[in-house]
Amino acid sequence: TAYAQRMLDGLDTLEWSDSLKEIQRNWIGRSEGAQIFFGLKGFDEKLEVFTTRADTIFGATFMVLAPEHALVGKIAAPEQREAVERYIEETKKRSERERMADTKRVSGQFTGAYAINPFNGTEIPIYISDYVLAGYGTGAIMAVPAHDSRDYAFAKHFDLPIIPVVEGGDLSVASYDAKAGRMINSDFLTGMDVKEAIPAMIAEVERRGFGSRRVNYRLRDAIFSRQRYWGEPIPMVWCDKCGWQPIPEDQLPLLLPEVESYEPTDDGESPISKMTDWVNTTCPCCGGPATRETDTMPQWA
């Protein structure tokens, strides 16, 4: 992620097809917007969100946090805590890939907490939902159902207000997602064109000290770092008595041995299976003899 902008800039120097370059740009996913802090009713903490549409803040009628968000456990009201914890457990059963791909399923849980719109003091109910991911942006969004299709579906499902702040579309049928039109119901932005309103609102956010302009990237850091032998070593050992055991945390990161030959074995095993001094170890559970996992994970790299 530290090299996201360099990778984007570098695409202009590559003799690749335009379609392939566009795939790469979408994968890196550069978004220009604003970091905005919302107050939390009854708490000293602030809720940070990242949005590319700061101009729509007057149309935010609810907030959505990723179930894994650090503040969920603290702000959940006592009467909602059991339901919140149950929803979090259900979310753990679904992978992030499944959550990203499932655009039709609507689910969520009210936390019982409220955020405070910094511009007009409106109390905004806070929900958790699996369509918000902890690893993207801040893991929290200001939901503007009139102008975002997923927020619209969520608002319809939970019977939440839908306030238009950009002229256009038929909100009885669908959200109006176009980034064009005249601002309405938006205090000092009312009457501006969207393209004019976005930078005006970001400037006002900074002037009032509610946040700052920000560039965000969809790109994530790799889960594992590729080493040698076509992949990374798995930090697990096999003990005939204790079964599979993870190596102790103080032995991480697990590094591969230095060897002269990188060739695979005759029986198809990975090259590290020949490194008996490295493979043979002790069980972290019982202290008896154990062997390291010799497979590697190139598909993760």
Side-chain angles (χ1 to χ4, degrees):
T1 54
Y3 305 98
Q5 191 58 51
R6 280 180 60 185
M7 287 192 285
L8 271 176
D9 296 339
L11 287 173
D12 295 332
T13 69
L14 298 178
E15 295 181 0
W16 290 1
S17 68
D18 289 340
S19 60
L20 185 55
K21 289 183 181 182
E22 189 61 24
I23 290 172
Q24 292 295 302
R25 291 188 182 99
N26 291 337
W27 176 62
I28 296 169
R30 187 180 195 272
S31 299
E32 296 183 13
Q35 162 204 54
I36 303 177
F37 291 93
F38 288 72
L40 291 169
K41 185 179 180 180
F43 297 93
D44 294 331
E45 288 87 351
K46 299 283 187 179
L47 178 60
E48 179 186 355
V49 304
F50 170 81
T51 178
T52 59
R53 293 296 306 276
D55 59 304
T56 64
I57 194 169
F58 294 103
T61 58
F62 59 99
M63 313 292 286
V64 186
L65 275 59
E68 306 90 347
H69 195 286
L71 283 174
V72 173
K74 180 167 187 176
I75 67 174
E79 63 273 16
Q80 300 291 341
R81 188 168 298 278
E82 183 178 346
V84 166
E85 291 175 352
R86 187 164 55 246
Y87 186 84
I88 292 172
E89 288 303 312
E90 286 299 313
T91 300
K92 290 179 181 178
K93 299 176 184 178
R94 308 181 72 217
S95 70
E96 187 171 291
R97 185 180 297 273
E98 290 175 319
R99 289 164 60 180
M100 291 174 66
D102 191 356
T103 59
K104 295 183 178 180
R105 179 176 177 268
V106 178
S107 71
Q109 174 59 48
F110 180 45
T111 64
Y114 292 84
I116 308 297
N117 188 315
F119 280 93
N120 58 16
T122 301
E123 295 183 3
I124 308 173
I126 302 174
Y127 285 74
I128 57 172
S129 178
D130 59 9
Y131 82 91
V132 176
L133 304 175
Y136 181 71
T138 65
I141 65 168
M142 65 173 202
V144 184
H147 306 292
D148 181 273
S149 58
R150 295 202 75 169
D151 294 348
Y152 182 88
F154 194 93
K156 284 290 188 180
H157 185 81
F158 288 99
D159 195 26
L160 295 165
I162 299 175
I163 301 174
V165 290
V166 180
E167 280 186 340
D170 182 356
L171 296 182
S172 66
V173 177
S175 60
Y176 179 65
D177 297 355
K179 295 183 179 181
R182 190 174 68 91
M183 303 298 299
I184 58 175
N185 303 321
S186 297
D187 196 79
F188 63 93
L189 297 178
T190 297
M192 290 186 186
D193 182 78
V194 167
K195 291 183 179 180
E196 177 187 9
I198 292 175
M201 175 54 86
I202 294 177
E204 191 65 14
V205 164
E206 292 186 318
R207 189 183 73 80
R208 300 195 191 189
F210 296 152
S212 60
R213 65 186 69 245
R214 180 67 57 87
V215 174
N216 198 40
Y217 298 92
R218 182 179 294 110
L219 181 71
R220 316 256 182 105
D221 286 324
I223 299 174
F224 291 92
S225 174
R226 182 187 287 270
Q227 294 187 36
R228 299 180 301 283
Y229 316 119
W230 319 293
E232 328 63 29
I234 301 173
M236 301 287 289
V237 301
W238 171 261
C239 171
D240 289 337
K241 178 181 177 181
C242 306
W244 286 109
Q245 295 292 323
I247 67 172
E249 188 172 349
D250 61 7
Q251 294 180 22
L252 296 175
L254 177 61
L255 302 177
L256 289 168
E258 295 289 344
V259 296
E260 295 182 2
S261 173
Y262 295 89
E263 296 177 356
T265 58
D266 294 335
D267 56 6
E269 293 292 327
S270 73
I272 56 176
S273 64
K274 297 184 295 184
M275 309 298 116
T276 54
D277 289 344
W278 184 86
V279 172
N280 295 322
T281 184
T282 56
C283 174
C285 184
C286 70
T291 56
R292 297 186 188 278
E293 171 60 70
T294 59
D295 194 9
T296 58
M297 298 180 288
Q299 70 273 21
W300 285 78

